[in-house]
Amino acid sequence: MSELLTTISLIFIIAGPFLLIANRYRLPTIPFLIIAGVVGGFFIDETLTLELARYGIALLVFTFGVRINPTSFRPVLRDSEIAAFGQIFVVGGLGFALGLLFGISTGEAIFLGIAVAFSSTIVGTALLESELRKNLLRARLAQTIQFIQDLLAIVILLLLGAGTLAVEPIATQFGFGIALLILALLTHKYLFETLGQLAGESDELLIISVVSLLVVFLAASELVGVSIVVGAFAAGLAVSHDPVEHLGLFNGVFSIRDFFVAIFFVTIGALVVVPFIELGWAASIEKLLLVTCLVVLTAVVKPLVTTAILLYNGYEARSSTLTSLSIDQVSEFALIIAIEALILGLLTQNVFDAIILAAAVTMITSSLSQHYNERIYRSLATHGLMPESHKKIDELSNITEGCVDHIIIVGYGRNGQQLTETCNEQDQPYVVIENDPALFDAVSSDCDAYVFGDAMEEYTWEKANVTDARLVISTVNSDPVSYRLLSFEFDVDVILRSDNVETALDFFDDGAIYVSVSEFLASEQLIQHLQELFDGDLTPAQIREQQLSDLEEYTSTKNTNKFGVN
């Protein structure tokens, strides 16, 4: 135990300076954590690193299970299944063939196929955190693809746990695995709410109860000889609930997650065997050639395959591309499968090292591709490399004929719903643009006219007949979306949303007539101004002039108070 604690302490001592550099220059932290791990690998015992990686992955899988919301998966489940299995068969098949080409045994080549085919839930979720909070389509697609692949990975772990292809051990493993999942569902349905009631308003008691449940599931999996990752995943499902209902619990769980995310990436780096330093020249060149091929399959071929599948299923080019760029890395499940296979003697150290190095590289490149995903997509689109596909928008949208002089409302959250109610009261025709699959049922049942598409794409606005619209109102608090709407240069007045006055003033400079600022104006005030606009009491120019004056006065007062100037 003392050696394990010493290793954890050493990990954070080494990672600290790298995190400071990343924070200082506002760079992605994942590459720096992995580099810190590479440095730490020269001082940390590999046996302890493997043990830390196993438990770190298990606890991270638990936090992923906690946030699973099946209702958000349902609208994109069929298409995600096609994409997930397409990745496995096409990319996994190429990985398997690559292993055979390099003279690797059939059994080990299978693990190479798994490594390149499965995508990382941990990396993907961390990179898509803001998109998940905003309920964007690409985040739903990526998360559902990863969830399906995680379930398949659990099946593989159960097969590995059997240690043989004999029917009886495999049946025993699957029986215990299914039993854990059933126990998780029963806990989710009958026990979790009881724990919440017993804890009262104490978030600390609820967090302790949830951690206790995790320990029970981990102990149960160890007792029956099932991988602890399976137990951790089941524990996550057992306590998965709406974050809004249990905000304190989820904040506590994700604080734990952030702790183990750091450990996970550092341990991945620590497991890397550095070519030309820890290996000879011939072995290093051979290793780098194999790793390069694995990286190309994972970071290039897999996104291309995913994009092609999503385009074939009718999704727009932008959503398809950005989804694929968030799942272009080796999965942590593939790593735990490789670790278990190494322990069981099914994988040689040489192939294991190649998988680890490929995982480290793709987790770094994935953080970069996600950071520059918009630029990558725009570059591809500008050069005519992205075919147009509007089938999904046409299928899911409903626009009445002769829709003119209407209001276009972007987003059907709380603010969007209030705006549609105001339009109904004023007999003002409107079209809602929404991109969250979980809201499709609500939009289609509540609204007569709607477009289910990406507000960043021109076709969505063509579908909403923006040229004949009276006003565009975005309720989405996203600077990229707002700047994109202003770049279209619609011949129609645009109202946007922001969370600070400085950005709002920039929007005014770019042509917005009104900006709903959360720190300055409530949404109810926007509705009041709209009613005055509908009634003819105010013109768009008067609204713009009035709010711009108010924002400038607010900024001046704020700066005076900040610097103590009288």
Side-chain angles (χ1 to χ4, degrees):
M1 178 60 75
S2 61
E3 292 181 353
L4 197 60
L5 292 176
T6 302
T7 302
I8 293 175
S9 300
L10 187 60
I11 283 174
F12 282 101
I13 291 171
I14 295 173
F18 289 91
L19 288 176
L20 286 174
I21 295 172
N23 183 66
R24 173 66 178 82
Y25 296 100
R26 297 182 179 180
L27 298 171
T29 58
I30 292 175
F32 285 87
L33 287 170
I34 292 175
I35 294 171
V38 173
V39 175
F42 293 100
F43 309 99
I44 301 172
D45 181 73
E46 183 178 352
T47 304
L48 290 174
T49 306
L50 284 173
E51 192 68 16
L52 267 178
R54 288 179 72 241
Y55 280 97
I57 291 171
L59 291 169
L60 290 172
V61 167
F62 163 72
T63 61
F64 171 70
V66 168
R67 71 178 304 155
I68 288 175
N69 181 9
T71 59
S72 66
F73 291 168
R74 189 179 66 253
V76 296
L77 183 59
R78 186 185 67 85
D79 297 327
S80 297
E81 286 176 346
I82 296 173
F85 285 108
Q87 280 185 17
I88 291 169
F89 286 116
V90 177
V91 184
L94 290 173
F96 175 75
L98 176 69
L100 297 181
L101 184 65
F102 272 81
I104 295 171
S105 68
T106 303
E108 291 186 284
I110 292 174
F111 293 107
L112 288 182
I114 292 171
V116 297
F118 286 61
S119 303
S120 174
T121 301
I122 295 170
V123 179
T125 302
L127 296 176
L128 287 170
E129 195 69 47
S130 61
E131 285 80 0
L132 286 168
R133 286 197 300 266
K134 295 171 185 175
N135 300 320
L136 297 184
L137 174 62
R138 66 177 182 271
R140 297 294 189 198
L141 282 168
Q143 191 181 39
T144 311
I145 291 170
Q146 292 159 348
F147 175 68
I148 293 167
Q149 292 184 347
D150 288 352
L151 292 178
L152 292 174
I154 287 174
V155 171
I156 295 173
L157 281 172
L158 291 173
L159 286 172
L160 277 176
T164 177
L165 293 178
V167 175
E168 186 175 344
I170 291 176
T172 302
Q173 281 284 306
F174 274 90
F176 286 136
I178 293 171
L180 283 173
L181 293 177
I182 291 174
L183 179 61
L185 294 176
L186 293 174
T187 303
H188 175 86
K189 187 173 182 180
Y190 298 108
L191 182 59
F192 183 79
E193 288 300 333
T194 302
L195 289 176
Q197 293 171 5
L198 292 174
E201 297 182 358
S202 174
D203 293 331
E204 291 78 9
L205 284 176
L206 190 56
I207 292 172
I208 291 173
S209 300
V210 167
V211 172
S212 299
L213 276 176
L214 170 61
V215 172
V216 169
F217 275 93
L218 291 179
S221 61
E222 287 275 22
L223 182 64
V224 298
V226 172
S227 171
I228 58 172
V229 175
V230 179
F233 185 75
L237 293 179
V239 297
S240 61
H241 275 74
D242 186 355
V244 177
E245 296 179 14
H246 302 283
L247 186 59
L249 167 63
F250 280 80
N251 288 336
V253 168
F254 292 134
S255 295
I256 297 172
R257 182 201 65 180
D258 293 340
F259 175 79
F260 282 100
V261 160
I263 291 179
F264 168 72
F265 288 118
V266 173
T267 54
I268 295 305
L271 287 171
V272 169
V273 176
V274 183
F276 304 111
I277 296 179
E278 298 177 86
L279 294 174
W281 277 85
S284 295
I285 292 173
E286 183 181 355
K287 179 72 64 62
L288 286 177
L289 185 59
L290 175 59
V291 170
T292 300
C293 293
L294 292 175
V295 170
V296 170
L297 284 176
T298 305
V300 179
V301 176
K302 183 158 61 175
L304 290 174
V305 170
T306 306
T307 301
I309 292 172
L310 294 176
L311 284 171
Y312 179 79
N313 281 285
Y315 288 94
E316 287 187 291
R318 179 173 177 273
S319 294
S320 301
T321 304
L322 298 189
T323 298
S324 67
L325 289 175
S326 64
I327 52 178
D328 57 347
Q329 67 288 117
V330 174
S331 169
E332 67 281 347
F333 267 107
L335 295 181
I336 196 66
I337 288 171
I339 290 172
E340 297 290 347
L342 179 68
I343 293 172
L344 291 171
L346 301 176
L347 199 62
T348 61
Q349 187 69 45
N350 185 53
V351 176
F352 175 78
D353 292 342
I355 292 174
I356 291 294
L357 183 54
V361 172
T362 56
M363 287 175 181
I364 292 174
T365 58
S366 182
S367 66
L368 296 175
S369 65
Q370 181 67 15
H371 185 71
Y372 297 105
N373 58 3
E374 283 288 352
R375 295 186 189 181
I376 294 172
Y377 166 69
R378 293 296 165 200
S379 177
L380 293 172
T382 301
H383 289 86
L385 298 176
M386 298 306 303
E388 294 187 356
S389 176
H390 309 306
K391 176 184 174 184
K392 190 65 67 173
I393 289 183
D394 293 335
E395 285 180 356
L396 299 178
S397 301
N398 183 51
I399 299 294
T400 55
E401 288 189 21
C403 186
V404 297
D405 199 32
H406 53 291
I407 306 294
I408 299 180
I409 301 170
V410 183
Y412 197 64
R414 185 177 64 87
N415 292 337
Q417 292 171 21
Q418 289 178 331
L419 289 171
T420 58
E421 290 173 3
T422 301
C423 289
N424 287 327
E425 292 170 0
Q426 298 286 327
D427 292 326
Q428 168 64 50
Y430 63 88
V431 174
V432 171
I433 293 178
E434 182 51 70
N435 197 35
D436 180 10
L439 290 176
F440 176 72
D441 290 340
V443 172
S444 59
S445 62
D446 298 344
C447 307
D448 294 328
Y450 52 88
V451 176
F452 193 77
D454 190 344
M456 301 280 279
E457 291 299 309
E458 292 187 33
Y459 183 76
T460 299
W461 295 96
E462 293 176 16
K463 191 75 176 177
N465 194 21
V466 69
T467 55
D468 294 322
R470 179 180 180 182
L471 184 67
V472 171
I473 306 175
S474 174
T475 68
V476 179
N477 188 10
S478 168
D479 291 350
V481 171
S482 297
Y483 282 117
R484 180 63 174 162
L485 298 192
L486 293 171
S487 73
F488 285 136
E489 297 182 350
F490 298 134
D491 189 20
V492 61
D493 295 322
V494 178
I495 293 177
L496 301 173
R497 182 182 173 191
S498 178
D499 57 4
N500 66 82
V501 175
E502 290 74 16
T503 304
L505 291 173
D506 288 340
F507 292 160
F508 273 108
D509 291 339
D510 291 339
I513 69 160
Y514 190 99
V515 181
S516 177
V517 185
S518 55
E519 70 174 71
F520 176 69
L521 291 173
S523 58
E524 289 76 10
Q525 291 169 294
L526 169 61
I527 292 172
Q528 179 183 343
H529 290 314
L530 286 177
Q531 289 174 336
E532 293 173 338
L533 180 64
F534 294 156
D535 295 336
D537 297 333
L538 286 175
T539 65
Q542 289 173 327
I543 288 180
R544 173 185 168 85
E545 183 179 349
Q546 177 181 323
Q547 200 210 11
L548 186 55
S549 176
D550 291 342
L551 284 174
E552 290 174 343
E553 181 181 351
Y554 174 79
T555 304
S556 177
T557 303
K558 184 179 178 182
N559 290 335
T560 299
N561 294 334
K562 178 179 179 181
F563 295 106
V565 179
N566 294 320

